[in-house]
Amino acid sequence: MAFAVLFLLFLSVPFSSAKLNPDYYSATCPDFAKIVRDQVFTKQSVVPATAAGVLRLFFHDCITDGCDASIFISSNAYTPHAERDADLNLSLSGDAFDLVIKIKNLLELTCPGVVSCSDIIAQATRDLIKMVGGPYFPVRLGRKDSLNSDASKVPASLPTPTMTMDDIINKFAARKFTVREMVALTGAHTIGFTHCKEFANRIFNFSPTSQVDPTLHPKFAEGLRHVCWNYTKDPSMSAFNDPRSPSKFDNAYFGNVLKGLGLLRSDYLLGADPRTRPIVEEYAKNEQAFFRDFAKAMEKLAVLGVKTGNAGEIRSRCDQFNHIPA
Ligand code: HEM
Ligand SMILES: *[C@@H]1O[C@H](CO)[C@@H](O)[C@H](O)[C@H]1NC(C)=O
Ligand SMILES: CC(=O)N[C@H]1CO[C@H](CO)[C@@H](O)[C@@H]1O
């Protein structure tokens, strides 16, 4: 019996992450955790939008070809279409990129050539979630950074707000996430903000008979029309994902979704589809259940498709490969 349990546990760890462990840098870069924690604290205190920006960046990196910092590569003559150029990347936060690059620069002074950019963002994401009120989870370390970055892989990997629930479930299933894990992860929308264009079709000229999407709470829709009135001329206009507690990592998102306060069409669907609604109701009532499932799902996301050994490298700059690709 004990043997069977152990065996199952072993099988549930994706093979490529077997070499990762939370103490990976304890001998080679003992200040790693402290340097990340201090920089995260300073940046988040000055720019409160950092936590959400970094979490979204991490999600995008992992879901597109694994947690390998491919999202940091800047396009240049050799990599003309890096991941971050994909249309969907347009809205990724500059502060999130800045934080990781700052930490990398400090680590290169302390322990040169030792810590990967992909480990930095994994650890920073966890520290930031904790700092804004979310659950703690252990971060296994030892990722290598990717040797390529390809914008054309992004659209196929990412879920978008206009997808059907079948499509969203399939996107996550393609990365071995269950429906329950998908719902828990999307609870990330309890922090951060969204540009108006992502939900504009729900609040302006929704249908021949209604200006706004009737599944939105009418007062909320009215507020959003105010916030976004000039969004076609000013594309930076945006709204909080969780209007109740915008910068606190809590379970308010799930209550919102059930009350017509979900910002994206996909948020609304989570509360409407019979496969996801019971999970949303459970998380809305029980924050502990959400935190437990979110932490577990983040541990799983954090080791998605990681590269170890010769499959990757420790970049010396997060935005460039060490060598010009052949
Ligand atoms: C159902 C699947 C999902 C869809 C369709 C979706 C879509 C979006 C969109 C369109 C935005 C707004 C981006 C912008 O305007 O700048 C956004 C923001 C965000 N998403 Fe998601 N997302 C999904 C799941 C997730 C997951 C699984 C995570 C993390 C684990 C996540 C984390 C975030 C965060 C933190 C923000 C706020 C970013 C910021 O404030 O800078 N999302 N999402
Ligand atoms: C709408 O946004 C544009 C672009 O930022 C700006 O130039 C314009 O003044 C705004 N309109 C008004 C009336 O504020
Ligand atoms: C299509 C597009 O506008 N891509 C942008 C993605 O992000 C990079 C870096 O922030 C921009 O330089 C690209 O123009």
Side-chain angles (χ1 to χ4, degrees), residues 84-87 89-90 97:
R84 61 190 272 194
D85 278 3
D87 236 2
N89 285 352
L90 232 160
F97 283 99

Side-chain angles (χ1 to χ4, degrees), residues 52-53 56 59 91 159-161 168 185 188-189 192-195 198 241 266:
R56 181 157 187 258
F59 170 56
S91 52
T160 63
I168 292 172
L185 285 174
H189 289 177
F193 58 83
T194 291
H195 293 88
E198 302 289 352
N241 285 337
S266 50

Side-chain angles (χ1 to χ4, degrees), residues 97-110:
F97 283 99
D98 293 348
L99 173 65
V100 172
I101 284 161
K102 176 90 189 288
I103 295 172
K104 176 65 175 175
N105 292 343
L106 285 171
L107 286 169
E108 285 304 298
L109 295 175
T110 322

Side-chain angles (χ1 to χ4, degrees), residues 29-309:
C29 194
D31 287 340
F32 165 75
K34 184 182 178 343
I35 289 174
V36 174
R37 201 183 322 115
D38 288 352
Q39 291 305 313
V40 156
F41 185 84
T42 306
K43 180 77 177 184
Q44 177 65 22
S45 306
V46 179
V47 186
T50 306
V54 172
L55 174 53
R56 181 157 187 258
L57 194 62
F58 186 55
F59 170 56
H60 282 209
D61 186 35
C62 293
I63 208 85
T64 312
D65 237 15
C67 311
D68 58 7
S70 46
I71 198 132
F72 290 104
I73 295 294
S74 297
S75 290
N76 56 41
Y78 305 104
T79 311
H81 304 290
E83 254 175 51
R84 61 190 272 194
D85 278 3
D87 236 2
L88 295 159
N89 285 352
L90 232 160
S91 52
L92 291 173
S93 142
D95 286 302
F97 283 99
D98 293 348
L99 173 65
V100 172
I101 284 161
K102 176 90 189 288
I103 295 172
K104 176 65 175 175
N105 292 343
L106 285 171
L107 286 169
E108 285 304 298
L109 295 175
T110 322
C111 18
V114 169
V115 182
S116 65
C117 300
S118 39
D119 278 348
I120 294 172
I121 187 169
Q123 182 92 358
T125 300
R126 192 279 312 280
D127 287 356
L128 282 161
I129 290 171
K130 187 75 195 128
M131 194 177 159
V132 296
Y136 176 89
F137 51 93
V139 177
R140 285 183 279 162
L141 301 163
R143 295 165 189 75
K144 293 280 178 67
D145 299 326
S146 75
L147 301 169
N148 50 58
S149 176
D150 184 351
S152 68
K153 289 187 179 168
V154 176
S157 308
L158 278 179
T160 63
T162 52
M163 279 179 181
T164 63
M165 192 43 67
D166 277 345
D167 287 340
I168 292 172
I169 289 173
N170 288 339
K171 285 280 175 238
F172 282 85
R175 299 289 185 261
K176 304 275 189 294
F177 287 106
T178 64
V179 171
R180 194 177 173 86
E181 287 168 334
M182 180 274 285
V183 175
L185 285 174
T186 307
H189 289 177
T190 181
I191 54 173
F193 58 83
T194 291
H195 293 88
C196 294
K197 77 166 167 52
E198 302 289 352
F199 55 88
N201 63 341
R202 304 185 75 196
I203 52 171
F204 299 117
N205 301 317
F206 178 73
S207 74
T209 52
S210 171
Q211 267 293 315
V212 303
D213 182 341
T215 66
L216 279 169
H217 190 291
K219 287 242 169 64
F220 184 50
E222 199 186 304
L224 292 175
R225 281 165 60 88
H226 265 277
V227 168
C228 296
W229 73 277
N230 194 22
Y231 87 97
T232 50
K233 296 204 184 77
D234 181 357
S236 72
M237 287 187 151
S238 39
F240 287 127
N241 285 337
D242 169 6
R244 264 204 289 172
S245 50
S247 38
K248 185 163 192 296
F249 198 102
D250 56 16
N251 67 339
Y253 166 77
F254 297 104
N256 293 342
V257 157
L258 297 170
K259 294 191 195 93
L261 305 175
L263 196 52
L264 301 171
R265 170 85 187 156
S266 50
D267 296 326
Y268 160 73
L269 285 182
L270 278 191
D273 190 285
R275 290 165 292 186
T276 50
R277 182 176 176 94
I279 310 168
V280 170
E281 286 171 341
E282 182 188 341
Y283 291 159
K285 277 198 228 100
N286 185 345
E287 184 168 86
Q288 262 187 319
F290 165 50
F291 275 17
R292 184 196 58 218
D293 290 356
F294 180 80
K296 280 261 170 277
M298 282 301 292
E299 276 192 74
K300 186 167 163 179
L301 177 69
V303 296
L304 200 64
V306 296
K307 278 91 190 164
T308 55

